[in-house]
Amino acid sequence: MNFADMKSKIAAGQGFIAALDQSGGSTPKALKGYGIEEGAWSSDEEMFGLIHDMRCRIIRSGAFSGEKVIGAILFERTMNGNVDGMPVPTALIEQGVVPFLKIDQGLEAEADGVQLMKPILGLDTLLTHAKSLGVFGTKERSVINSASPTGIAAVVAQQFELACEVLAHGLMPIIEPEVNIKSETRSECDAILLDELTKALDALPDGTQVMLKLSLPLQPGLFSPLTTHPAVLRVVALSGGYSRGDAVIELAKNHGIIASFSRALLEDLRAHMSDDEFDAVLGTAIHEIHHGSTVKTA
């Protein structure tokens, strides 16, 4: 797949995007969920090696293909790693899966009800390198905890400023202003975010497109106008702490939105499983998430 092929697949593909981008502080939690306790490694290198092994097992599984998984978001170390001697982005592309790269480097402390992204060190070099490996796009996450109009406006402004840098490198940005689903003002957060995103999208130059990764809204269908906005290539949803079953139910209520799940995809996988067990469990998860992405309720 070349860039045009990948863009076409992401725009119209009947599937979902797998988020395989746990990094830093979230890695021990991801490994624990996989059945590997914290004492199993003695250094960060060993820890990242274990999570890379888990991701390689997923990528090489017969259940993981471009038929239902149209894209995958990678952590930088995963992007730079190999699967059976092949660069990970190349292995994904050969399976018909479009590679993305998580580029944010963590969050600032909460202020004005939100957490902005920390400055991204070496961004130009990282984007140039990702492009050279065949990566199609990026993903960058902020968090919204309460319904502060000024805080949410700041999140969106930062996200779109970064998106323009990504676009300048010939890559597709996934803008992720995550609304905390436990927020006491979640409905108001959703409404303010919709307004700010619409204004920012309207201000983009004609012909420019970005992607959006959003928490599933409290009011189903709230984000439908974003799915048809000419500046939006695709809207995807994060699971945001829901179990897979609950996330799939909520996803199916939102027409035009596909999944980009992480924990909900991986929650039943365990390191001790045989290959046949692993493939069967992964296949079930992929089937359920694909169904919620492509078969919508009234």
Side-chain angles (χ1 to χ4, degrees):
M1 292 188 290
N2 58 30
F3 189 88
D5 295 332
M6 290 191 278
K7 185 174 182 180
S8 177
K9 180 150 196 174
I10 294 300
Q14 294 298 297
F16 69 95
I17 296 174
L20 306 177
D21 59 341
Q22 303 93 340
S23 61
S26 65
T27 303
K29 186 176 180 180
L31 285 171
K32 185 174 183 179
Y34 186 49
I36 300 178
E37 296 293 337
E38 196 156 343
W41 63 86
S42 58
S43 67
D44 284 351
E45 287 301 315
E46 289 185 10
M47 177 185 73
F48 287 122
L50 289 169
I51 200 79
H52 184 72
D53 290 344
M54 180 189 78
R55 290 168 180 156
C56 287
R57 196 176 186 189
I58 292 167
I59 291 168
R60 67 165 65 97
S61 170
F64 191 90
S65 74
E67 182 182 354
K68 294 181 177 180
V69 183
I70 62 173
I73 304 170
L74 306 173
F75 174 44
E76 183 180 353
R77 285 174 179 258
T78 307
M79 176 188 73
N80 290 327
N82 294 296
V83 178
D84 299 331
M86 184 183 300
V88 171
T90 303
L92 289 172
I93 291 168
E94 289 202 354
Q95 291 175 240
V97 179
V98 176
F100 292 81
L101 172 66
K102 165 189 160 65
I103 60 170
D104 61 90
Q105 295 176 349
L107 301 170
E108 301 280 12
E110 182 177 337
D112 199 12
V114 303
Q115 289 176 273
L116 297 172
M117 292 177 286
K118 291 180 177 179
I120 302 173
L121 304 177
L123 179 61
D124 284 343
T125 300
L126 178 60
L127 295 176
T128 299
H129 178 54
K131 182 74 172 177
S132 74
L133 291 175
V135 168
F136 171 73
T138 63
K139 195 242 6 182
E140 36 272 4
R141 172 178 173 263
S142 312
V143 172
I144 297 167
N145 292 310
S146 62
S148 164
T150 53
I152 295 172
V155 162
V156 172
Q158 185 191 42
Q159 282 278 356
F160 274 77
E161 181 180 357
L162 177 56
C164 289
E165 293 187 60
V166 172
L167 287 164
H169 281 78
L171 295 164
M172 174 60 62
I174 301 177
I175 291 168
E176 184 184 10
E178 176 183 351
V179 172
N180 184 343
I181 65 169
K182 296 180 181 179
S183 171
E184 294 180 357
T185 56
R186 181 178 163 200
S187 181
E188 293 91 337
C189 289
D190 288 343
I192 296 168
L193 179 60
L194 174 61
D195 183 57
E196 291 295 331
L197 287 172
T198 302
K199 289 189 291 187
L201 290 166
D202 289 345
L204 288 174
D206 289 347
T208 300
Q209 287 188 307
V210 299
M211 294 176 63
L212 302 174
K213 181 169 179 174
L214 306 174
S215 302
L216 290 160
L218 194 59
Q219 176 189 330
L222 180 70
F223 294 141
S224 290
L226 299 174
T227 68
T228 57
H229 195 290
V232 177
L233 181 68
R234 201 80 190 254
V235 180
V236 303
L238 57 117
S239 52
Y242 283 119
S243 67
R244 183 170 67 248
D246 289 341
V248 167
I249 290 170
E250 293 302 314
L251 176 64
K253 298 175 184 177
N254 289 274
H255 291 247
I257 299 179
I258 64 173
S260 177
F261 291 172
S262 174
R263 282 169 293 186
L265 172 64
L266 309 177
E267 64 184 27
D268 294 329
L269 298 176
R270 298 294 181 269
H272 63 74
M273 289 176 171
S274 69
D275 288 344
D276 287 345
E277 290 173 321
F278 187 92
D279 289 351
V281 170
L282 179 61
T284 296
I286 288 173
H287 171 76
E288 291 176 1
I289 297 169
H290 177 266
H291 191 269
S293 295
T294 58
V295 181
K296 301 296 183 176
T297 57

